Amino acid sequence: MDILIYGYGTMAGAMVDGWLRAGMDPARITAYNPRPKNVPQEITFTTEIPDRSFDAVVLGFKPHMLGDIAPGMAGVVRGGIVLSILAGVELETLAEELPDARGWVRFMPNLAVALGKSPNALVARGLGESDRAAVTALAEDLGSAEWLPDESQFELVTALAGSGPGFVYRFIDALASAASELGLEEGQAERLAVQMVDGAGALASASEHSPRELASRVASPGGMTQKGLDVLDDGGALEKLMTNCLAAARDRGIEMGREARKTAGKDS
């Protein structure tokens, strides 16, 4: 597929890095942004909207900008597939705003795409088998392809897999800050926390056991780990905290969808 990145923000740039890392021919990638950006030298970059269509167009601008930008995109999306990384913007809105495309995909990665380690949530409208296979291949070059049966849970999946790294980074920072507060040197506490989470995540990915089971295997009755887990488990404190965290992120995604529809003139 011949790919246009329309709006070269942080996430779109990470996707390009991931595709190049996976061995994609850079000649397949064109990036458009109205202002100059630092991009990998191998790809084509332009500040003028290309005067041709592409097999796939990645929407890399802010969600609220769709209504203003879409009218000028007819030529580049004509007959191609729209890959939207716009948080909250639903398939119906994409199809109404960009009707010249042949298919529309909500594609939600996280920044680990740059390393080929992102879970990529996908849901689509208008894709045939071959198009779905091509989009799956694009996602798998960046990590994994997690197709959802319908769009109803997409905001929740985005909160978990898309926003999740932010929550994990905050958890790492909290662990390091707590260790520092208790007397460990700040830089050493941060290094230990980062390396510990890196190793724990790698083991969770490779293990046949669930994260819950792995936690039990680390702990022994009456031991140090169990005493710490007792604090996290007291009254379901950690689970309640994360439920509230994911709900807040999900609800903001739903709200952003409403805002995008209003901007596009599809809602009152």
Side-chain angles (χ1 to χ4, degrees):
M1 300 181 84
D2 168 0
I3 302 169
L4 173 66
I5 311 296
Y6 199 106
Y8 201 86
T10 301
M11 185 64 74
M15 293 171 73
V16 169
D17 290 343
W19 279 324
L20 295 177
R21 181 187 179 94
M24 180 181 288
D25 180 356
R28 291 171 55 187
I29 303 174
T30 299
Y32 159 73
N33 200 75
R35 291 177 299 280
K37 288 273 189 170
N38 291 323
V39 305
Q41 290 184 352
E42 309 98 301
I43 72 170
T44 300
F45 178 80
T46 178
T47 56
E48 300 290 333
I49 299 173
D51 188 23
R52 68 180 182 89
S53 61
F54 291 78
D55 298 323
V57 179
V58 177
L59 307 186
F61 43 83
K62 299 294 184 184
H64 70 272
M65 299 169 67
L66 178 61
D68 293 330
I69 289 176
M73 293 187 66
V76 296
V77 303
R78 185 168 291 114
I81 299 170
V82 170
L83 302 178
S84 171
I85 60 173
L86 309 183
V89 179
E90 298 156 330
L91 289 171
E92 181 178 1
T93 302
L94 292 170
E96 289 174 341
E97 290 297 304
L98 299 166
D100 295 299
R102 74 170 184 269
W104 303 266
V105 182
R106 293 186 70 180
F107 188 131
M108 188 49 62
N110 67 45
L111 287 175
V113 287
L115 302 177
K117 291 184 177 293
S118 172
N120 302 297
L122 301 160
V123 68
R125 177 172 176 171
L127 292 194
E129 268 189 46
S130 61
D131 286 340
R132 184 182 171 104
V135 172
T136 297
L138 288 176
E140 289 178 341
D141 278 347
L142 303 176
S144 65
E146 293 285 346
W147 285 96
L148 304 185
D150 59 63
E151 199 174 6
S152 62
Q153 296 297 325
F154 199 85
E155 268 59 57
L156 177 56
V157 172
T158 299
L160 174 60
S163 302
F167 310 145
V168 173
Y169 300 147
R170 186 60 62 83
F171 176 69
I172 296 171
D173 181 63
L175 276 176
S177 296
S180 179
E181 181 71 21
L182 291 170
L184 203 60
E185 191 275 323
E186 184 177 350
Q188 187 173 54
E190 184 171 299
R191 290 193 301 273
L192 287 168
V194 169
Q195 190 168 355
M196 178 277 295
V197 171
D198 183 40
L203 181 58
S205 294
S207 178
E208 61 184 274
H209 303 294
S210 70
R212 183 180 293 274
E213 175 63 20
L214 288 173
S216 297
R217 285 172 172 260
V218 173
S220 55
M224 293 173 62
T225 304
Q226 188 57 56
K227 283 296 183 181
L229 289 174
D230 288 345
V231 175
L232 296 178
D233 295 339
D234 186 25
L238 181 61
E239 188 170 340
K240 288 177 182 176
L241 177 66
M242 295 316 302
T243 298
N244 291 338
C245 175
L246 291 180
R250 176 202 62 194
D251 293 349
R252 176 55 183 150
I254 293 170
E255 185 180 328
M256 289 170 74
R258 285 196 291 265
E259 291 170 356
R261 287 196 300 274
K262 287 179 181 179
T263 303
K266 304 303 180 186
D267 210 350
S268 58

